[in-house]
Amino acid sequence: QVQFAESGGGLVQPGGSLRLSCVASTSIFNIATMDWYRQAPGKQREWVAGITSDGNRNYADFVKGRFTISRNHNATTVYLQMDSLQFEDTAVYFCNLRHRPRPWGQGTQVTVSS
């Protein structure tokens, strides 16, 4: 079964950037829609961005114009380029399949602090 590993989080100042990676245990992103989610302290998990098997992208309103979701050619990795980070972006970020989600992994922590 497919497994995912998130990485790339860290501590960044407001206005800074990070690039998150979601690595699959097998090449599946060419046939499956992938999403990024996040869970902020004291909040419910929320959807951030998605990319379909044919490359269509969509975003939550609160990250439009700041975040970009993409994937590599061999479909082993999905990325989330995060620019103009704000305090409110502080959260643990997760990736998952849209239609047949796997158990939630550990995610990667993003902390935006001045």
Side-chain angles (χ1 to χ4, degrees):
Q1 185 60 265
V2 176
Q3 308 276 358
F4 302 110
E6 302 96 341
S7 64
L11 176 64
V12 65
Q13 294 186 22
S17 297
L18 288 170
R19 187 181 68 177
L20 308 185
S21 297
C22 173
V23 179
S25 59
T26 187
S27 181
I28 48 84
F29 298 150
N30 61 323
I31 60 171
T33 299
M34 284 292 298
D35 294 303
W36 282 98
Y37 301 82
R38 70 187 188 187
Q39 187 167 25
K43 305 292 185 181
Q44 298 296 308
R45 182 178 287 109
E46 60 185 354
W47 175 80
V48 174
I51 185 166
T52 65
S53 58
D54 60 351
N56 289 331
R57 305 169 182 181
N58 54 343
Y59 301 92
D61 288 341
F62 51 80
V63 303
K64 284 182 178 177
R66 301 189 298 119
F67 292 7
T68 304
I69 188 170
S70 62
R71 65 185 180 211
N72 65 349
H73 178 70
N74 63 356
T76 56
T77 309
V78 171
Y79 303 98
L80 186 68
Q81 177 66 43
M82 309 164 66
D83 299 318
S84 302
L85 283 161
Q86 305 166 173
F87 294 126
E88 295 79 11
D89 297 317
T90 295
V92 179
Y93 285 72
F94 305 87
C95 59
N96 216 332
L97 291 164
R98 178 172 297 180
H99 302 296
R100 286 196 167 274
R102 304 305 305 146
W104 296 105
Q106 295 299 307
T108 185
Q109 175 71 237
V110 171
T111 302
V112 184
S113 181
S114 60

